[in-house]
Amino acid sequence: MKLKNICLAALLTAAAQTSFAQEHYFIDGYHGGVYGHYPHGYTQFVISQLKANPYWKINLEIEPETWDRVRAEEPEAYAGFKHLFADQSAGGRIEYVNPAYGQSYLYTGSGESMIRQFSYGIQKLKEHFPGAVFTTYSSEEPCFTSALPQVLRSFGFKYASLKNPNTCWGGYTRAFGGELVQWQGPDGSQLLTVPRYSSEALLPNSTWQTTAWNNGREYIHSARAAGIAHPVGMCLQDAGWRNGPWLKQHAKYETWRNYIGNIANHSNVPVWKVSQEDIQVSLVWGAQVLQRIAQQVRAAENKLVNAEKYAAIATLCDNTAWPRQQLDTAWKTLLLAQHHDCWIVPYNGRKGDTWIDKVQHWTDNTLFVSNNILQQNNREATYIRVLNTTAQPRSEWVQLPEGRQWEVTNSKGKPVETQQGRIKATVPPMGFSVYKLQPATGKNSRPVREEDHLLQIETDLYHAEIDPARGGVITSLVVKATGKEMVDKRNSRGFNELRGYFYNENAWRSSMDTVATVRTTEHNKARTSVEINGFIAGHPFTQQVIFTNGQRRIDMKVKIDWKGNPGIGAYSQADNYSAEAYQKAFYNDSCKLQVLFPLHLTTQQLSKDAPFDVTNSRLENTFFSSWDSIRNNVILHWVDVTDGNNGLALLTDHTSSYVHGKDYPLGLTLQYAGRALWGRNYDITGPTEVSYAIVPHKGNWETGGISNEETGWCEPLQVLPAKGSRDFSLLAVQNKHWQVSALLMDGKDLLIRLYNPGGNNSESLLTFNGAATAAVMEQLNGDAGKILPQRKASGKTIIRLGIPRFGIRTIRLKNVSVNY
């Protein structure tokens, strides 16, 4: 009887194990590449494991350039891998799930950079695997952003996964839903997606995993209890690991393509409108090394967009050759500089070849190519073009070539007033105005005044007051058009104050602690510039506040000349750091050095931009102090605070974090110094220099035109040598919200990518200053869509189309010629 019971128990156990094995699935594969980690000879290892384990399937997130090296160093393994990869059906054993060129986090760069990550990555992979099919997007890191559905669908993707169970150091997505959801982006595009289940918890005693990392029994049982019939876990192993199949117990390995397409339950799939705040990510914001990387990437990104658009204009106007090779090189180095490892492990690598060094090299190349295209190394031109690469006409003050004073006339021969080496340039959309320069006699005066009392500033748009006795903070900022005072004078914090916790001193320090010196460095019809010199915790700083006449944006800069390496943040962690500890000082932005802007707005709603999106924040405040409570407090280009009637936007020259709360003023994170990921000390190694700006406005971010302000901030008017004396405008848009995300040539065709960051979906007009044989809507993968009707008027081509809110549309104008 006992033996019978033992046998019965054994059978029941075996049956339970068989049931467990048959009813759950696993996504295995590899993550990394030639820049991150991909050892010599590793391709042969992967092939041998696939042959030794015929049940095994893999999903790949390998940097596309890796295959150039594999082809050269492992030709036999390369050929063998191509043979195994050739089956791209649902039953195939290999799926490429992230073809991005530089494996970017995506939320740290522009929407156009996101598109190029995929376009250049897919192009490179097609060189090696012509039959490659890209069906599912998945990443081992939190490489997600809210606008991905429309971009992925336009590249031909059908599915996505929002899981990253085994590499959550940089964050994770919000737990939501069950087996499948329809991930809806801000434009309304939907993508069938496997989410991080509501039942998929963060793993206890870990700061980098969820319970889906190894299909443990608790994970599987919790998923089934939540009604998930086909639970799936995931781990894309680091390329270089020698595990072979990841799980020790048996599970059914799948590609995402087959799992989502043929196994997961497609009935009653809920729609999830993913907000950017559902992407719960965190990096060491404020650390000097990350700040510099972000600034280098932003500067290169902005300049390259200017250069590419100008290259298209010059090709059509001046018959110059389209610089495809140079632009391709510049884009590829920019995309590599956006690699997630640059941002999360900047110090990793050999001396002289860390990610910090790589970013410097890559962005230097992008800037070099861009400046060559813009010909900005030529300072001896008699005629200049002032270039506007945005879709809106602009009238702004621009700096002329330095070194002398100029007499300036416009293209009609009329004199143009100069002020301190600047002119007020009026430039049409997506084009240029031409000005003639002649050396002038005499010099403009440059008043400089020292102030030891309240400094009052009057411009055409603002009245402002700066108080040296309070460390040079702005004590009043009145918008003259409305009479609105923007500064909350009741708040104990100062407007443009620097404030942070210096933990070695166990004290809060502020720029308001000491008297500052304030001087007016420029005051004329072009602009008024003020310089503030003060101290924070004994460290000298210089702030600039620049009011430009006719411009809503108030430009600001800060430079802090650190004396030594102070500790700034919530606490030290020098002696008690643990990778597994949930609490880490670098999560806590409330104690980092910030520049603050207490606003005289009673009720405050905050919005922030993201790639091809704007998010209305649902956060009560931005603060958290542990890995299991991450909040998305990322500022890409801007955040905006409004009470519905008036508002103020804060712009920054780099991706970072912002601070804000119900009882906490808007601010920008400037400095963190101390222990962070893996116990690394994020030191201060030199001065901190940051450019930022504020834009007071009526209404909210949309009615206040903040997206266009950001475009002007990122794409300033460029001064170039002229090839001719005529003004020119290539195209214009009727809808004031529409922006030109990209402009490039493809043979005799012109590609125009439009983005609608606001307004409704109603049709509007695009006017092209020339002729085209056809206008075709085109997907990002090159597939042709509908033909757009054209209307001719006065030698111009007028096209009517509609773009959904936060939507992008690419238009191919075939066989173009322009009126120039």
Side-chain angles (χ1 to χ4, degrees):
M1 187 64 158
K2 184 177 180 181
L3 178 61
K4 183 177 180 180
N5 288 339
I6 291 172
C7 290
L8 179 60
L11 288 171
L12 290 173
T13 300
Q17 288 175 341
T18 301
S19 174
F20 176 72
Q22 289 177 342
E23 295 180 6
H24 66 93
Y25 301 83
F26 198 75
I27 300 299
D28 204 348
Y30 293 102
H31 155 87
V34 64
Y35 295 106
H37 35 76
Y38 197 93
H40 297 284
Y42 198 66
T43 307
Q44 185 56 54
F45 168 78
V46 175
I47 293 172
S48 66
Q49 289 296 311
L50 284 166
K51 290 180 177 178
N53 302 282
Y55 59 87
W56 193 39
K57 295 180 181 180
I58 60 173
N59 301 262
L60 296 181
E61 185 186 25
I62 301 296
E63 299 157 12
E65 280 194 21
T66 304
W67 303 105
D68 292 344
R69 195 183 78 180
V70 172
R71 179 173 55 189
E73 296 181 355
E74 295 183 81
E76 291 185 8
Y78 174 78
F81 187 86
K82 288 186 69 172
H83 176 73
L84 290 170
F85 188 75
D87 183 358
Q88 289 290 280
S89 69
R93 298 179 64 190
I94 306 174
E95 181 180 4
Y96 225 108
V97 294
N98 185 358
Y101 199 89
Q103 293 190 356
S104 168
Y105 278 128
L106 299 179
Y107 66 83
T108 57
S110 70
E112 189 60 34
S113 285
M114 172 166 52
I115 289 173
R116 303 307 176 97
Q117 285 285 353
F118 289 107
S119 63
Y120 278 102
I122 290 171
Q123 180 188 70
K124 171 57 70 176
L125 290 172
K126 289 280 191 178
E127 291 176 14
H128 294 281
F129 312 109
V133 176
F134 302 99
T135 308
T136 314
Y137 177 77
S138 178
S139 177
E140 179 68 5
E141 301 262 358
C143 297
F144 309 118
T145 193
S146 55
L148 263 170
Q150 72 165 326
V151 172
L152 292 174
R153 285 181 63 88
S154 194
F155 275 109
F157 286 75
K158 296 180 180 179
Y159 314 127
S161 165
L162 281 169
K163 293 180 183 288
N164 62 302
N166 206 38
T167 313
C168 299
W169 299 102
Y172 39 79
T173 57
R174 188 181 305 280
F176 180 90
E179 199 156 311
L180 290 175
V181 298
Q182 286 284 1
W183 174 4
Q184 181 169 307
D187 72 315
S189 296
Q190 294 183 359
L191 204 64
L192 198 60
T193 299
V194 177
R196 177 188 153 213
Y197 305 147
S198 292
S199 60
E200 183 182 334
L202 300 178
L203 191 70
N205 303 314
S206 170
T207 51
W208 68 92
Q209 293 165 299
T210 76
T211 54
W213 78 283
N214 69 346
N215 273 24
R217 287 183 179 275
E218 183 179 345
Y219 169 67
I220 298 301
H221 291 159
S222 66
R224 287 177 181 152
I228 298 168
H230 311 94
V232 62
M234 170 186 162
C235 176
L236 301 186
Q237 305 176 51
D238 278 12
W241 291 359
R242 300 280 175 171
N243 301 288
W246 178 243
L247 300 183
K248 300 306 179 186
Q249 79 273 19
H250 180 67
K252 185 168 176 53
Y253 290 99
E254 280 297 346
T255 61
W256 275 126
R257 177 187 293 141
N258 193 53
Y259 173 80
I260 299 175
N262 298 315
I263 296 171
N265 186 356
H266 288 213
S267 61
N268 300 318
V269 177
V271 173
W272 184 20
K273 297 180 180 179
V274 175
S275 160
Q276 192 71 3
E277 290 184 344
D278 294 318
I279 315 296
Q280 296 172 288
V281 289
S282 177
L283 295 171
V284 191
W285 304 122
Q288 199 169 72
V289 61
L290 189 60
Q291 190 175 81
R292 289 173 180 170
I293 284 171
Q295 288 172 326
Q296 289 165 350
V297 169
R298 176 67 57 78
E301 184 178 58
N302 290 345
K303 185 58 73 75
L304 179 54
V305 168
N306 270 279
E308 186 177 66
K309 290 179 180 178
Y310 182 63
I313 293 170
T315 297
L316 294 171
C317 290
D318 304 328
N319 295 315
T320 58
W322 173 248
R324 174 182 291 277
Q325 184 177 358
Q326 297 97 307
L327 286 168
D328 286 349
T329 299
W331 270 111
K332 289 174 182 178
T333 51
L334 172 63
L335 300 177
L336 290 173
Q338 294 172 342
H339 196 293
H340 65 267
D341 278 344
C342 302
W343 298 71
I344 198 166
V345 287
Y347 294 104
N348 282 12
R350 298 184 303 274
K351 185 177 181 179
D353 191 33
T354 64
W355 286 103
I356 304 167
D357 301 313
K358 288 183 171 72
V359 170
Q360 183 73 64
H361 171 73
W362 285 330
T363 55
D364 281 351
N365 177 72
T366 300
L367 288 170
F368 176 79
V369 172
S370 301
N371 285 329
N372 278 347
I373 291 172
L374 292 168
Q375 299 178 340
Q376 290 188 321
N377 53 351
N378 183 348
R379 295 291 181 178
E380 300 301 324
T382 301
Y383 288 89
I384 59 168
R385 286 175 174 174
V386 178
L387 172 70
N388 173 17
T389 56
T390 74
Q392 304 299 328
R394 295 162 72 175
S395 182
E396 299 174 15
W397 290 94
V398 297
Q399 180 70 53
L400 297 175
E402 297 178 2
R404 63 181 71 180
Q405 297 298 316
W406 302 100
E407 291 180 356
V408 184
T409 53
N410 63 19
S411 59
K412 296 180 174 59
K414 294 184 178 179
V416 177
E417 183 182 15
T418 64
Q419 288 288 328
Q420 206 70 35
R422 298 180 185 87
I423 59 167
K424 185 71 170 289
T426 301
V427 194
M430 201 57 63
F432 52 80
S433 294
V434 176
Y435 296 90
K436 184 179 180 180
L437 307 182
Q438 290 182 315
T441 58
K443 294 185 178 180
N444 292 335
S445 61
R446 184 180 182 183
V448 176
R449 300 199 304 270
E450 298 286 346
E451 302 287 345
D452 57 4
H453 58 278
L454 191 69
L455 175 63
Q456 300 196 31
I457 300 163
E458 298 288 342
T459 73
D460 57 340
L461 300 182
Y462 300 110
H463 168 83
E465 297 175 1
I466 298 177
D467 189 353
R470 299 184 64 196
V473 298
I474 297 172
T475 53
S476 177
L477 177 62
V478 177
V479 181
K480 287 186 173 181
T482 62
K484 174 64 180 176
E485 170 66 71
M486 298 307 301
V487 176
D488 183 1
K489 298 183 179 182
R490 300 165 300 176
N491 200 298
S492 61
R493 304 271 54 90
F495 196 95
N496 205 30
E497 173 195 7
L498 308 180
R499 181 177 185 264
Y501 188 74
F502 289 68
Y503 55 75
N504 290 330
E505 302 177 28
N506 296 316
W508 289 95
R509 297 300 188 201
S510 167
S511 57
M512 296 170 63
D513 294 341
T514 57
V515 174
T517 299
V518 179
R519 66 182 187 133
T520 304
T521 58
E522 184 176 353
H523 181 65
N524 51 50
K525 292 182 180 179
R527 66 181 195 173
T528 299
S529 300
V530 177
E531 182 178 283
I532 302 149
N533 291 283
F535 292 88
I536 179 166
H539 306 274
F541 72 84
T542 300
Q543 287 177 307
Q544 290 179 284
V545 183
I546 303 170
F547 299 85
T548 301
N549 285 339
Q551 174 181 289
R552 290 190 305 169
R553 189 181 76 239
I554 302 170
D555 293 312
M556 298 177 169
K557 297 180 181 179
V558 62
K559 179 179 180 181
I560 307 171
D561 285 307
W562 300 105
K563 304 303 180 184
N565 183 25
I568 306 173
Y571 45 89
S572 170
Q573 282 194 296
D575 301 321
N576 60 349
Y577 180 87
S578 170
E580 289 77 19
Y582 277 21
Q583 300 279 336
K584 291 186 173 65
F586 81 88
Y587 288 133
N588 190 343
D589 281 5
S590 66
C591 295
K592 295 175 182 177
L593 185 69
Q594 308 154 358
V595 56
L596 297 171
F597 301 94
L599 297 171
H600 184 45
L601 302 172
T602 306
T603 59
Q604 298 191 5
Q605 171 63 50
L606 184 139
S607 302
K608 53 193 173 186
D609 83 318
F612 295 138
D613 191 11
V614 175
T615 295
N616 295 323
S617 180
R618 300 175 301 201
L619 300 177
E620 183 176 319
N621 61 67
T622 58
F623 302 120
F624 61 95
S625 58
S626 65
W627 175 76
D628 60 343
S629 58
I630 293 173
R631 301 179 181 186
N632 187 305
N633 60 354
V634 177
I635 176 172
L636 177 61
H637 298 104
W638 57 266
V639 295
D640 181 79
V641 175
T642 182
D643 62 3
N645 297 313
N646 297 279
L648 181 138
L650 170 64
L651 284 70
T652 172
D653 67 355
H654 68 291
T655 303
S656 184
S657 66
Y658 69 96
V659 293
H660 184 257
K662 183 178 179 181
D663 299 311
Y664 201 94
L666 175 67
L668 176 67
T669 300
L670 286 182
Q671 190 72 72
Y672 170 78
R675 298 281 176 187
L677 291 166
W678 301 284
R680 176 78 202 202
N681 199 34
Y682 281 64
D683 292 326
I684 291 176
T685 59
T688 291
E689 297 185 68
V690 175
S691 295
Y692 52 102
I694 57 173
V695 184
H697 60 82
K698 289 286 292 179
N700 60 20
W701 68 268
E702 187 175 349
T703 57
I706 298 306
S707 284
N708 282 336
E709 285 285 350
E710 172 240 310
T711 303
W713 164 265
C714 292
E715 300 181 45
L717 297 179
Q718 301 285 325
V719 177
L720 321 173
K723 295 181 178 180
S725 58
R726 289 174 289 172
D727 300 344
F728 179 74
S729 176
L730 181 67
L731 58 87
V733 295
Q734 181 186 43
N735 189 316
K736 65 179 182 179
H737 295 287
W738 288 7
Q739 299 172 359
V740 178
S741 173
L743 187 76
L744 61 157
M745 299 297 300
D746 184 16
K748 295 182 180 180
D749 299 348
L750 177 67
L751 291 176
I752 306 168
R753 185 143 43 247
L754 300 174
Y755 167 53
N756 178 16
N760 55 38
N761 302 350
S762 60
E763 290 188 335
S764 190
L765 302 180
L766 167 69
T767 301
F768 173 66
N769 189 9
T773 57
V776 183
M777 200 86 80
E778 186 169 284
Q779 296 297 310
L780 293 174
N781 63 1
D783 289 351
K786 68 177 183 179
I787 297 176
L788 299 171
Q790 302 180 54
R791 177 166 59 87
K792 308 293 183 182
S794 303
K796 297 181 179 181
T797 299
I798 302 173
I799 301 165
R800 179 179 293 274
L801 74 156
I803 305 175
R805 183 178 173 87
F806 302 122
I808 54 173
R809 293 293 183 267
T810 304
I811 302 164
R812 179 180 290 271
L813 298 183
K814 294 191 172 183
N815 301 306
V816 294
S817 59
V818 298
N819 300 316
Y820 182 66

